[in-house]
Every structure is written in C-alpha cells, then in structure tokens.
Amino acid sequence: MMRAGETQMAKPDKRTRLRQSAVELAYRQGFRKTTIADLAAESKVPLGNIYYYFKTKDELGAAILETRLDEFHQLRDHAETLSDPKDRIRLFIDATLDNRAVVAERGCPMGSLCAELLKDGGELGKQSNALFAEPIAWLAAQFGSLKRTDGAALALQLMASLQGVSLLAQSFRDPRLIETEAARLKAWLAAL
Amino acid sequence: MMRAGETQMAKPDKRTRLRQSAVELAYRQGFRKTTIADLAAESKVPLGNIYYYFKTKDELGAAILETRLDEFHQLRDHAETLSDPKDRIRLFIDATLDNRAVVAERGCPMGSLCAELLKDGGELGKQSNALFAEPIAWLAAQFGSLKRTDGAALALQLMASLQGVSLLAQSFRDPRLIETEAARLKAWLAAL
DNA sequence: GTCTATACGGCGATAGAC
DNA sequence: GTCTATCGCCGTATAGAC
C-alpha cells in the first residue's frame, strides 16, 4: 500500500510504466527479442507482477501498438490546428526529420514495429495495419483538401518514401539520408 | 572442398539444400523465428547433421545474406547486357514488380531481412548493409551514365520508394500498391 | 495487489555411436 | 560424414505466500 504523501509525487502507475518501458525496449531491440525479464528490469516491476497487468506477451504487444497509434493521433491533432493542408503535411514530414538521429539508429518507430510483427505472422501483425492505415488515410484527406483527385496515391507515395528512407538511414546509420529526402519531399509538396 | 551450387551436379548437395531451405524459411517466417528443427524438417537433413555444415545459426544467417546478394548480382549481370542505362534501371524496378504477389505477402526479400537483422542488433545486422549498399551503388552508377551529377541521390530515392512501397504492400496485403508505384517510377525515370 | 520461486517447454548446440 | 539422443539454458507463464 502507498503511504499518504507518496501519491502525488509517485511515478506514473505501474500499468503506464510497463507500457512505456515495453515501447522503449521493443523499439530498441525488437519486440520478439524483448523478454519479460528485460521488461521487469527496465520498468522495475517484479517479473511475476507484470502478469497482473498484462496476461500474455501478446497483450503487451497490443498495448505497444496502441501507444504508437496514440502518438500519431497527437501529431494529427497538433497538425489540425494549422489551416493550410500543406502545413499539416509538412508537420508530418517533420516528425521523421526531427527524429532522424534516433531513426538512423533504430528505424522508424512505426515501420520497424510493423515490419517485425508482420514477419512474426501472428495476430499482432494484422493489428499493426492501423499504424499505416490511419496516417495514410489522414494524409490522403489532406491531399484531398488541396483539390487533388489522386490524394490516395500521393499519400501512399509520401508514406512509402518516408518508410523507405528510414530503413535505408538505419542500415547506413546515416541521418543525413533523411535530411535529403525530407527536403526533396517538401519541395515536391510545395510544387503540387 | 567443393560447395554445391558451384558444381553441375544433378542433385544439389546438402550444403546447398540447407542454404536454400534456410533462405525460404527466413523469408517465410523470419530468421529469428526459424529454428534449426524447422530447417531440419524443410531440408530433410537430420538436425544434428546440420551442424556439420553450419556450426552456428549465425553462420546460417551469413549464408542467407550471401545468397540474397548473389541474387542481386545475377540481376545486375543480366541488366548489364542492356546498353541503355534506363533499361537497366527499368529491369531493377521490374524485379520488384514481377514479384509483387509474394512481396505483398512476405515483404521485400532483401528489405525484410535487413530490417529484421538490424533490429536484432548482432553482427549480422552490420553485414546486411551490403544488401542495400551494392544495389544503391550500382543504381548510382547507372544514373551517372545518364550524365546526372545527382546519381547517388536518385539511387537512394528509387531504392527508398521501392522499399517503402514493399512494406506498405505487405502491410495491406495488396500487390496493386507495387503496380502503381512501379508505373510512377518508370514514368519518372523516362522523364529524367 | 505484490513478489519469489519454479514449472514447463523449446531452443541452440553437443556427444558419441556408426 | 551421418544421425539419435540429449544437455543446459532461457523463454513464457503460473503457483501460492504475503
């Protein structure tokens, strides 16, 4: 039991800490390679206790996906405070650009996770689809606001470029690839 | 000692069978998820005997990378029988396009392998770099033959698009994404 | 709700007969 | 070179005291 006075100052509750640690570990070393013992060490929650919050490792994977999707939702909500659809799309490109240092080390937070879960072939692979489907649908809507009839195609093209360059930047451990491609994509966007 | 695949023997020897089965299994279900027992079943080589040919699982991984790199070399050699650099690049694009059905199921044979090995964080991840580095260098040379000074940038751009769309096609299980992107890339190439 | 100890299975790798 | 049996470790998950 928590003593009085610890409540306000305490770390986030265990479920939240577990989710955050799981997201971090899965991003750093992969979901499959991350063991419950790893998670126990990172989150400082005893191994057996983890199962009180997440009954299986797959439930943990679902929570990770949910967290990553929430991150996109926050980006989207921020972007929608801008009135120009091109500015909104620029903000999306900037999300990768601003993260280029870590992307060059670990890959795209969404893409590398999807790639892994898709190969694993379980139920999580199918669920991971939303991580691409939602951003693409949103991007397509933004391109649609620009009176383009090919919004869906443009959204796929943009997403593919960002995913591809993230993978290449990771392979070459070189964030400059992302700088180059982001600049090109912004020029392309401006010219649309 | 003679290695099969380098001979004209009617029936591939065990080493070759093992390598081929390992490539197939790693592509179908991932390298990490593939167990030596899986490989024994697929190749019909008894489990213990596998270790006569490959002392560790990592050696098997290195053989898989070598095989995938050889596949690119064959494509490159075929492409270099063509005199027009644009035709050579088109052949490279066609490699993904012609494979779109299986790419939409399992991802790009090179890209999905690199992504997995990079996340795993071992020595194989670093070795996998050649799978991107060689094609990109070759593509850059082809663009260079077109008197472009930005050949390296164009090569990265093309490779990123193909890798990205392969991942998206896999996620959506839809080979048509590859058709659309390949058509766009060919038009882009023709207009260079 | 929390935590220690452990069950149970599967994995890479080896031993050793043939 | 080949193959069966098995070792030792490590993974997920559970038992059960507190």
Side-chain angles (χ1 to χ4, degrees):
Chain A
M1 270 308 178
M2 242 181 272
R3 283 166 294 172
E6 275 187 350
T7 310
Q8 313 289 334
M9 311 288 291
K11 306 170 187 172
D13 63 59
K14 280 192 180 178
R15 176 171 250 107
T16 302
R17 259 165 59 214
L18 284 168
R19 206 179 51 215
Q20 287 173 341
S21 295
V23 166
E24 163 66 17
L25 284 171
Y27 187 34
R28 193 190 306 157
Q29 60 188 13
F31 176 67
R32 193 167 224 278
K33 191 175 178 178
T34 297
T35 68
I36 308 298
D38 288 340
L39 180 58
E42 174 89 7
S43 65
K44 310 276 203 266
V45 174
L47 191 150
N49 196 12
I50 294 176
Y51 286 91
Y52 176 78
Y53 296 96
F54 298 95
K55 295 197 205 327
T56 65
K57 200 186 171 185
D58 266 26
E59 262 185 41
L60 221 27
I64 293 171
L65 285 174
E66 205 184 323
T67 303
R68 291 302 191 192
L69 197 55
D70 278 349
E71 289 173 6
F72 163 69
H73 289 155
Q74 285 172 28
L75 174 67
R76 178 200 59 192
D77 293 347
H78 181 210
E80 288 183 350
T81 63
L82 305 174
S83 53
D84 183 352
K86 286 192 181 182
D87 284 336
R88 297 176 177 183
I89 297 169
R90 262 187 281 273
L91 207 68
F92 186 83
I93 296 171
D94 280 334
T96 298
L97 177 61
D98 295 344
N99 256 301
R100 63 189 180 279
V102 63
V103 170
E105 267 182 28
R106 306 177 180 178
C108 170
M110 295 185 301
S112 64
L113 181 60
C114 284
E116 179 180 5
L117 296 179
L118 282 167
K119 266 294 181 211
D120 252 27
E123 198 58 35
L124 286 174
K126 294 167 193 166
Q127 287 178 242
S128 74
N129 182 271
L131 267 139
F132 284 143
E134 289 207 22
I136 288 173
W138 181 80
L139 284 171
Q142 307 316 307
F143 284 114
S145 299
L146 296 171
K147 315 279 193 218
R148 304 279 312 200
T149 55
D150 56 348
L154 294 173
L156 279 160
Q157 197 181 321
L158 172 56
M159 194 73 179
S161 290
L162 287 172
Q163 285 302 312
V165 83
S166 294
L167 179 57
L168 296 182
Q170 185 191 7
S171 183
F172 290 105
R173 308 249 152 203
D174 189 350
R176 288 173 301 176
L177 304 196
I178 293 171
E179 291 173 24
T180 304
E181 188 67 1
R184 185 187 70 80
L185 288 168
K186 286 181 181 180
W188 164 80
L189 176 63
L192 277 180
Chain B
M1 171 165 47
M2 205 167 37
R3 288 196 182 184
E6 297 172 349
T7 75
Q8 301 288 326
M9 293 171 62
K11 191 164 188 175
D13 65 12
K14 281 192 180 179
R15 178 173 245 106
T16 302
R17 261 165 57 215
L18 284 168
R19 207 178 51 214
Q20 288 174 338
S21 294
V23 167
E24 163 65 17
L25 283 171
Y27 188 33
R28 192 191 306 157
Q29 60 186 19
F31 176 67
R32 195 166 219 279
K33 191 175 178 179
T34 297
T35 68
I36 309 296
D38 288 340
L39 180 58
E42 174 89 7
S43 64
K44 308 276 203 268
V45 174
L47 190 150
N49 196 13
I50 293 176
Y51 286 92
Y52 176 78
Y53 296 96
F54 299 95
K55 295 198 206 325
T56 64
K57 199 185 171 186
D58 265 26
E59 264 187 39
L60 219 29
I64 293 171
L65 285 174
E66 206 184 324
T67 303
R68 290 301 191 193
L69 197 56
D70 279 347
E71 289 173 6
F72 163 69
H73 289 155
Q74 285 172 27
L75 174 67
R76 179 200 59 191
D77 293 346
H78 181 210
E80 288 182 351
T81 63
L82 305 174
S83 53
D84 183 352
K86 286 192 182 183
D87 284 336
R88 296 177 178 183
I89 297 169
R90 262 186 282 272
L91 207 69
F92 187 82
I93 296 171
D94 280 334
T96 298
L97 178 61
D98 296 343
N99 255 304
R100 62 189 181 280
V102 65
V103 171
E105 268 182 28
R106 304 177 181 178
C108 170
M110 295 185 301
S112 65
L113 182 59
C114 285
E116 180 180 4
L117 296 179
L118 282 167
K119 263 300 180 207
D120 252 27
E123 200 57 35
L124 286 174
K126 294 166 193 167
Q127 287 178 244
S128 75
N129 182 271
L131 246 57
F132 284 142
E134 290 208 21
I136 287 172
W138 180 79
L139 284 170
Q142 306 317 307
F143 284 114
S145 300
L146 295 171
K147 315 276 195 222
R148 304 278 312 200
T149 55
D150 56 348
L154 294 174
L156 279 161
Q157 196 179 323
L158 172 56
M159 195 72 178
S161 290
L162 287 172
Q163 284 303 313
V165 81
S166 293
L167 179 57
L168 295 182
Q170 183 191 7
S171 183
F172 290 104
R173 308 248 153 206
D174 189 351
R176 288 174 302 177
L177 305 196
I178 294 170
E179 292 173 25
T180 303
E181 188 68 0
R184 185 188 71 79
L185 288 168
K186 285 182 182 179
W188 164 80
L189 176 64
L192 278 180

